[in-house]
Amino acid sequence: IDNIIMKKVLFLIIVFTVSLNVFSQDGKQITLKRELQVEIGEALNLWYLISPESPNQYSVDRCIFPAFSLTYNHKINQKWWYGISAIYNYNREELFDNKDSYHSSVYRSNNHVFAAAPAIKFIYCNTATLQMYSGLQAGISLITAKIIRSKGEVSNGTNIGFWGQLIAFGINYGKDFYIGAEAGFGYKGMLNLTAGYRF
């Protein structure tokens, strides 16, 4: 009987030790990491109609400088990261009226855009030096505008709006320090260059 009890105790000790080893390995795999990433995007250049009721009027939104953003990401497991992005860009919106075939400017708005956007990233290829991923950043923006009307009137204003960027494909190369690029759709444009540090 003592021999049977000793075998059971030994078996339980082995199972307990193996379980601790497995859990510790899982803990190592899910060890939280962080990254700080700088992004430079070519930003948006969109044409769109202002209103169906005013088919002669259209607006052109041109980016004067690239969009700059700083993203802090936190790793939650081998595939998913979450974080927040701080974004700035300067663009110019101009409203035109092409009534009677004359393209006359109605007003020009010089806009400074500041945005804060929660970010999420899914990594589907992850090696020691290469990561490929998709992601989404979406939040609110604060726009400060200087509006110059065709009659010479100048006014200033602020506005709250939506800001978003869908990252269709991203790639990073490097271990701790890395560089990369992102292709996507949104207010940072179709192409972004990235550089960052993981710690």
Side-chain angles (χ1 to χ4, degrees):
I1 297 174
D2 291 339
N3 193 22
I4 293 174
I5 293 174
M6 286 297 294
K7 285 182 179 179
K8 287 182 178 180
V9 170
L10 184 60
F11 176 74
L12 289 174
I13 291 173
I14 292 172
V15 169
F16 182 72
T17 305
V18 170
S19 299
L20 282 179
N21 189 36
V22 169
F23 286 136
S24 66
Q25 286 179 358
D26 287 344
K28 288 177 184 176
Q29 288 177 356
I30 308 177
T31 299
L32 298 179
K33 293 192 74 174
R34 295 160 297 280
E35 68 179 9
L36 195 61
Q37 180 170 289
V38 177
E39 301 138 3
I40 301 175
E42 45 91 9
L44 75 170
N45 190 358
L46 302 176
W47 294 67
Y48 55 93
L49 285 176
I50 292 299
S51 170
E53 290 81 21
S54 304
N56 295 317
Q57 291 186 342
Y58 63 93
S59 175
V60 182
D61 199 345
R62 296 187 180 93
C63 184
I64 306 301
F65 295 111
F68 296 96
S69 58
L70 182 66
T71 302
Y72 172 80
N73 282 320
H74 208 271
K75 182 179 181 182
I76 53 178
N77 57 39
Q78 293 299 313
K79 297 290 186 182
W80 292 95
W81 294 66
Y82 74 94
I84 189 165
S85 288
I87 303 103
Y88 168 77
N89 84 293
Y90 174 60
N91 62 56
R92 176 176 295 165
E93 179 186 357
E94 195 159 7
L95 178 64
F96 291 93
D97 194 326
N98 64 347
K99 190 175 181 180
D100 301 325
S101 300
Y102 290 100
H103 296 266
S104 59
S105 177
V106 178
Y107 72 77
R108 185 177 74 236
S109 178
N110 298 326
N111 306 316
H112 296 275
V113 181
F114 305 89
I120 190 166
K121 182 165 73 169
F122 175 74
I123 298 179
Y124 48 83
C125 176
N126 191 12
T127 69
T129 56
L130 180 69
Q131 295 80 40
M132 290 186 285
Y133 58 92
S134 296
L136 177 67
Q137 300 171 348
I140 60 172
S141 62
L142 175 67
I143 305 167
T144 62
K146 180 180 181 181
I147 301 170
I148 305 169
R149 301 189 183 277
S150 57
K151 296 179 180 179
E153 302 170 351
V154 178
S155 60
N156 297 298
T158 58
N159 190 23
I160 301 276
F162 170 78
W163 188 95
Q165 181 76 12
L166 173 65
I167 302 166
F169 174 76
I171 185 168
N172 289 332
Y173 180 78
K175 194 172 181 182
D176 295 331
F177 290 98
Y178 63 88
I179 58 172
E182 296 175 350
F185 310 95
Y187 287 86
K188 284 197 293 187
M190 296 185 67
L191 180 64
N192 290 275
L193 301 178
T194 64
Y197 175 65
R198 297 188 186 95
F199 54 97

